[in-house]
Amino acid sequence: MHSRQHLAAAGLTEQRWRKRWETGRRFLQADGETGKRFGNETIRVTPDGEVSIRLPAPLVHLANAPHGRYVLAGRVTFPHRGRQWRERVSANRAVAYRVHENVDRGRWYLTASRKLPSVRTAPLAVARANGLVGVDTNADHFAAWRLDAHGNPVGRPFRFGFDLTGTAEHRDAQIRHALTRLLHWAKRHDVAIAIEDLDFSAEKTREKHGGRKRFRALISGMPVARVRSRLVAMAAEMGIAVIAVDPAYTSRWGAQHWQKPLTGKRGRPTRHDAASIAIGRRALGFAIRRRAAPPRDDRSDRRGHRSVQVGAGTRGREETRPRLPGPRTRFAGAGSGAKAGDQGAHHRSERPAEPESRQRDSMAVGLNGTVKPFFRVPGCLGL
């Protein structure tokens, strides 16, 4: 009605507005029912795209097919999620249809819809059982790395890119395509997905970042809310668990503790790849750092091996391990005592264990055949 009162501003004539008004109220829709043939008895669409309508009793004489049905001449296709729709109608599961006309394009469209399954909350231990995929969200791609149940990265990292330029429909399609590839990869390995719980609603103001225009534009363009909602809905449809973790310092600590150790002949992982490992380890309940501090008095005898995971209550578990100066020996203190490699510090054959001035021979034979010990002192000989 607002357009009717302002035809010039809307760019319409009265006749064109009247046509749009009448067309908007000329449609046909029918809800589906599981168990019926192809999921809908009133508007039936076969897997190959044939559309037939069940006519009411006053219009049965217009039917061109048995059982009072009217078959349309054209066939329909579903470019978006066509495979899922085909699997659903082949199993006679409920699908709702709506037939409507588009005045601007002069075409008739058939829209199919279905009810999404309710999201079920799975225990955290069950989601962690087979490991998971850590996902780092960026402005143009998802960086993902698969981790086993012990927090170790498996295989090589993957990157699922998307382009957020262009129209809103193009951006939405790019995000759906990237998430579909990510979910199929996780489904193939039967693992859950760990992703950061990002929220930039209060973090992109000028008071927060000052004159950093490029950074503010970057975080403003990241569709975190859309990604979160679509990922939850699509993962529930495929039966994949999603774990949201705290995003604090994942990029910094991931690059600090994982980027260099994973550098090899095949290349160097990016900072985003290392961040995905940090996200996955945090979702598994492990610290981001790989090792705990070394034992104080020995390496593994009494206080456990140095490669054990850091406990959740350990202070400084996310920090680097300091390097202790001095030799790495068990019995000698740092910077003092005999070295472990010095054989003179042990009672070995023909090796001095005392100063040469007080060296004691093993035994000496006297002139009368008796065995007497003696000491050799520089400058004299005593019996």
Side-chain angles (χ1 to χ4, degrees), residues 336-354:
S336 62
K339 296 181 179 180
D342 188 5
Q343 299 298 324
H346 307 280
H347 294 280
R348 303 291 180 89
S349 176
E350 298 181 1
R351 299 295 299 182
E354 295 181 356

Side-chain angles (χ1 to χ4, degrees), residues 27-252:
F27 61 90
L28 175 63
Q29 66 181 16
D31 296 334
E33 184 180 355
T34 300
K36 298 294 183 179
R37 190 177 182 185
F38 301 125
N40 198 311
E41 185 68 20
T42 304
I43 303 177
R44 181 181 297 171
V45 184
T46 62
D48 57 355
E50 181 184 270
V51 182
S52 63
I53 302 174
R54 178 73 176 269
L55 298 177
L59 301 178
V60 173
H61 62 281
L62 300 177
N64 58 0
H67 308 292
R69 308 194 67 88
Y70 186 89
V71 179
L72 302 183
R75 293 180 179 267
V76 298
T77 58
F78 295 96
H80 175 55
R81 296 187 178 181
R83 182 180 59 84
Q84 299 179 10
W85 165 81
R86 191 174 296 105
E87 293 175 355
R88 192 173 183 88
V89 298
S90 300
N92 296 332
R93 300 179 62 185
V95 180
Y97 297 104
R98 186 177 189 271
V99 183
H100 60 279
E101 182 184 4
N102 190 318
V103 180
D104 297 332
R105 297 187 178 183
R107 298 179 180 178
W108 286 83
Y109 288 89
L110 185 140
T111 304
S113 60
R114 68 185 187 277
K115 182 180 180 181
L116 294 177
S118 58
V119 179
R120 294 177 299 175
T121 302
L124 192 57
V126 176
R128 294 172 174 174
N130 299 329
L132 47 78
V133 173
V135 181
D136 181 48
T137 306
N138 301 281
D140 58 350
H141 71 280
F142 296 119
W145 206 320
R146 185 165 66 95
L147 281 71
D148 59 13
H150 306 286
N152 302 314
V154 180
R156 303 294 300 170
F158 279 79
R159 176 173 294 187
F160 306 95
F162 50 83
D163 184 15
L164 296 181
T165 60
T167 62
E169 291 78 7
H170 176 263
R171 296 194 300 268
D172 189 66
Q174 288 285 315
I175 293 175
R176 289 200 312 266
H177 181 61
L179 290 178
T180 301
R181 294 170 56 200
L182 172 63
L183 290 171
H184 285 175
W185 183 49
K187 187 69 173 180
R188 186 164 60 249
H189 296 286
D190 193 20
V191 293
I193 292 178
I195 194 168
E196 299 170 295
D197 189 12
L198 296 173
D199 185 10
F200 294 136
S201 58
E203 300 292 332
K204 53 189 177 183
T205 59
R206 183 181 297 273
E207 291 77 8
K208 177 72 175 180
H209 301 288
R212 302 169 62 184
K213 293 184 178 180
R214 295 186 59 184
F215 182 74
R216 286 191 286 115
L218 177 65
I219 61 178
S220 298
M222 293 180 64
V224 292
R226 187 180 306 173
V227 169
R228 182 168 55 247
S229 60
R230 285 202 172 275
L231 177 61
V232 172
M234 297 172 66
E237 183 71 18
M238 300 181 64
I240 299 176
V242 177
I243 304 175
V245 300
D246 185 8
Y249 302 103
T250 52
S251 297
R252 181 182 302 178

Side-chain angles (χ1 to χ4, degrees), residues 265-281:
K265 297 181 179 179
R266 295 186 178 181
R268 177 184 176 88
T270 63
R271 185 182 181 91
H272 306 299
D273 298 333
S276 64
I277 298 179
I279 295 169
R281 289 181 63 86

